[in-house]
Amino acid sequence: MVCSSADGCRNRFVHSLSVSPMTMDVKAVVEFATVTRGLSLVLQAVLNAAIPDHEADAFRPPRTEEPLYLDPVVDWLFGGLAHWDAEHFLFIAERGYLYEHNFAFFPLFPIVLRGLAETLLWPLSSWLSVRGRLLLAVALGNTTLFLLSVVALYALSRAVLQDRRLALLSSLLYCFTPANVFMTAGYSESLFAALTFGGLFLLEKGFTLRACLALSIATAARSNGLVNIGFLLYLPSLNAISQIRVYRATTKGRSKVLHYIWVILRLLLTSLFGTAVIALPFCAFQYYGYRTFCTPSTSLEQIHPALLSLGERRGYRVPDENGPPPLWCMRPLPLLYSHIQDVYWDVGFLRYFELKQIPNFILAMPMASLAIMAAYAYFQANPELCLRLGLWGTGLEKPTPGLFNPKAFVYVVHSTVLLVFGTLCMHVQVLTRFMASSSPVPFWISAHLLLLNEPLLHRRKTSNPNVQLQTDPKNSFVHTLQNPILALLPHFKACSPTTQSILGYFLLYWILGLALHCNFFPWT
């Protein structure tokens, strides 16, 4: 396209220069994420074949479909992705919600798997059973969803932190997240992360309606999507206070009052609408569970005998129109999800605080430590802003780029809420994947600590003549050192203790998760 003027050409050239670094970063992040996804799939296949499966007391429904030609191959390649809770998702995708405890797993991910199996993978139906196509859909679907989530995380980090270095390093760390195996296996974490990070980015950019839609869909993937309502209440409130401040300085008289009324009314409508939209999938799913078991239309004769036998042996309740309804149906608020968490998983306030659970608290400690450090460091840097809930203060007019940016306040609060709830009310070892798929803060604080404490990221020359990073002295991070993680790993022993601790934690959990989880050993 030919420029109409010299100024137009100059502006277009400047614009191209400003876009180029972000494009380079996204390319580097996607390439690294693709490599780590490929390595994860290869490693889980090798480790699953090399290590005998542990005899765990896990959900293992019988196969009611005859295997086809390629089923043994797909099972050998990706069978490690179908263990523990992944078996529930695959069973739901294949058979629907048959057992009562299946309702602990929300429907969006099984719908995605079944959709892939019946569309993209339908040409393989002569060689692969439904189960085989679903397993292949796990590998393809979660790989794609993880790539989307890492791009969404980078965009969100750039919008909130306003620091390219920190956004890039955070996203690269996310590529080998400690929750890696759950992002790869048949779990809903990658789907939830993509929708959550994408929805929060849209909310940061002011696309409230689209953000509500993305966050609503996220709630159809995991119940903790309800916590995202806090963002929808907070960020529009922050924007409304900012508008009122502008109106107060620029308008007078009756016009000012009308502006105030309009801003407050719009905030209330946005909050009510957004809350309803985000909560709708959760409420609809609970209603579906109520109808399935409290007013059932299924008889035992309609259920496959092998599945009915499993239910009788293991005490799994199935819907029966001729039987009495379960007791939870008689409660004033008959929530099936709460009943399942209480009865099947023994989840409740302080129930996990037992001596025998100390190993699980140790497993969760690194992720908990990152969240605690983020909250403490942020409060130390912005005590006045924190006491004012980040809604007003001198720092809002001239924000400092980086982790201590005022825009990061609500994310640190969100991370802290997840930490407290996960520690007190959940199986604490789940904290690693619970937070890694829901909050960018663990990756922000990790990247912040690396930039703060790792000399190799800032110096062209080091005291060790054998350790030299190829960097540009004018901007050592962003010009030629496009992936600092790959530059640091070969010099791991020369890195600072902080770097060794963070990278060691990420890599150890990345590999151990694949080895243990894919062979039915307990993991996070």
Side-chain angles (χ1 to χ4, degrees):
M1 184 180 294
V2 179
C3 299
S4 58
S5 66
D7 288 341
C9 288
R10 188 184 304 111
N11 291 337
R12 186 167 297 164
F13 177 70
V14 171
H15 177 69
S16 68
L17 289 179
S18 65
V19 172
S20 179
M22 184 173 180
T23 304
M24 291 168 56
D25 288 352
V26 170
K27 181 181 178 182
V29 166
V30 170
E31 287 176 352
F32 192 47
T34 303
V35 170
T36 59
R37 293 309 90 204
L39 281 175
S40 296
L41 291 174
V42 171
L43 281 175
Q44 68 81 27
V46 172
L47 293 169
N48 190 35
I51 303 173
D53 279 356
H54 174 62
E55 288 298 324
D57 183 23
F59 179 63
R60 293 185 181 182
R63 305 285 179 261
T64 58
E65 186 181 14
E66 288 295 324
L68 299 178
Y69 304 111
L70 293 180
D71 278 309
V73 178
V74 171
D75 191 62
W76 187 88
L77 288 173
F78 305 117
L81 305 180
H83 293 169
W84 294 110
D85 288 355
E87 193 65 77
H88 287 277
F89 285 112
L90 289 168
F91 179 80
I92 294 166
E94 183 178 1
R95 294 282 175 178
Y97 285 90
L98 176 62
Y99 301 120
E100 187 179 60
H101 69 293
N102 289 148
F103 278 82
F105 305 93
F106 278 49
L108 183 60
F109 187 60
I111 290 172
V112 170
L113 293 182
R114 189 65 188 232
L116 287 173
E118 298 297 339
T119 55
L120 184 65
L121 301 177
W122 176 252
L124 298 176
S125 57
S126 299
W127 296 278
L128 276 175
S129 64
V130 174
R131 163 80 181 194
R133 281 182 280 135
L134 289 172
L135 198 53
L136 189 55
V138 166
L140 296 176
N142 268 350
T143 297
T144 303
L145 289 167
F146 186 86
L147 295 179
L148 292 175
S149 71
V150 75
V151 172
L153 175 62
Y154 175 78
L156 175 64
S157 301
R158 282 293 299 264
V160 175
L161 304 176
Q162 300 173 354
D163 185 329
R164 181 190 168 197
R165 299 186 307 161
L166 197 55
L168 175 59
L169 190 52
S170 302
S171 304
L172 293 172
L173 286 170
Y174 175 77
C175 291
F176 61 105
T177 167
N180 169 58
V181 67
F182 303 103
M183 299 291 195
T184 309
Y187 282 63
S188 57
E189 268 73 4
S190 286
L191 174 61
F192 184 74
L195 290 167
T196 299
F197 296 153
L200 295 178
F201 169 71
L202 291 172
L203 195 58
E204 287 287 347
K205 289 298 183 181
F207 301 112
T208 305
L209 186 60
R210 299 179 201 176
C212 286
L213 180 61
L215 296 177
S216 174
I217 298 173
T219 307
R222 292 186 63 83
S223 62
N224 56 297
L226 290 172
V227 183
N228 291 329
I229 291 175
F231 288 102
L232 194 68
L233 297 176
Y234 181 84
L235 291 176
S237 299
L238 186 62
N239 184 51
I241 291 173
S242 176
Q243 290 183 18
I244 289 175
R245 189 183 297 114
V246 172
Y247 292 149
R248 187 175 60 184
T250 57
T251 58
K252 296 180 180 180
R254 183 180 177 185
S255 177
K256 181 189 294 187
V257 176
L258 293 176
H259 277 305
Y260 290 171
I261 294 174
W262 167 241
V263 169
I264 294 172
L265 182 62
R266 186 171 60 181
L267 172 63
L268 292 174
L269 292 175
T270 300
S271 300
L272 289 173
F273 173 77
T275 300
V277 169
I278 293 175
L280 179 62
F282 179 87
C283 297
F285 186 53
Q286 297 313 298
Y287 178 71
Y288 172 60
Y290 177 85
R291 290 294 303 270
T292 300
F293 286 97
C294 299
T295 58
S297 58
T298 303
S299 63
L300 298 181
E301 291 76 17
Q302 296 173 273
I303 301 173
H304 194 283
L307 300 177
L308 188 60
S309 175
L310 174 67
E312 291 174 351
R313 290 197 316 270
R314 301 297 300 268
Y316 300 154
R317 181 186 290 275
V318 296
D320 180 13
E321 63 180 355
N322 299 315
L327 293 178
W328 63 265
C329 293
M330 312 304 175
R331 295 175 181 172
L333 187 61
L335 287 180
L336 177 53
Y337 185 76
S338 300
H339 167 74
I340 293 170
Q341 294 296 328
D342 178 33
V343 173
Y344 289 93
W345 270 268
D346 194 30
V347 171
F349 183 65
L350 297 183
R351 289 189 187 179
Y352 222 57
F353 280 69
E354 300 175 326
L355 289 176
K356 66 180 181 180
Q357 302 298 347
I358 289 177
N360 288 322
F361 277 88
I362 293 173
L363 278 177
M365 191 174 295
M367 181 59 71
S369 299
L370 289 175
I372 292 170
M373 281 190 287
Y376 178 77
Y378 195 89
F379 182 80
Q380 287 290 102
N382 301 294
E384 183 181 348
L385 183 75
C386 293
L387 293 175
R388 294 176 177 179
L389 302 181
L391 294 174
W392 67 89
T394 56
L396 294 175
E397 286 75 19
K398 295 181 179 180
T400 303
L403 179 64
F404 304 135
N405 192 312
K407 292 169 70 71
F409 170 79
V410 65
Y411 296 89
V412 175
V413 172
H414 172 253
S415 170
T416 306
V417 169
L418 294 181
L419 170 65
V420 173
F421 179 79
T423 303
L424 299 181
C425 303
M426 294 172 55
H427 292 180
V428 73
Q429 71 271 21
V430 178
L431 198 64
T432 301
R433 59 186 172 99
F434 178 60
M435 295 191 65
S437 63
S438 307
S439 171
V441 171
F443 307 101
W444 289 352
I445 183 63
S446 299
H448 172 79
L449 291 172
L450 288 183
L451 288 174
L452 194 65
N453 295 284
E454 182 48 62
L456 293 180
L457 291 178
H458 302 284
R459 291 202 302 238
R460 194 178 185 187
K461 294 184 179 181
T462 69
S463 57
N464 186 344
N466 296 320
V467 180
Q468 303 297 331
L469 300 186
Q470 299 297 320
T471 61
D472 187 318
K474 294 182 179 179
N475 197 338
S476 63
F477 191 94
V478 298
H479 280 264
T480 58
L481 189 56
Q482 199 62 38
N483 192 328
I485 299 297
L486 291 180
L488 288 174
L489 288 177
H491 310 298
F492 184 80
K493 291 183 179 180
C495 292
S496 69
T498 300
T499 302
Q500 291 178 348
S501 299
I502 292 173
L503 295 185
Y505 161 55
F506 276 61
L507 288 171
L508 181 65
Y509 274 52
W510 192 82
I511 295 173
L512 270 183
L514 292 171
L516 297 177
H517 182 275
C518 293
N519 291 285
F520 267 120
F521 287 96
W523 187 236
T524 64

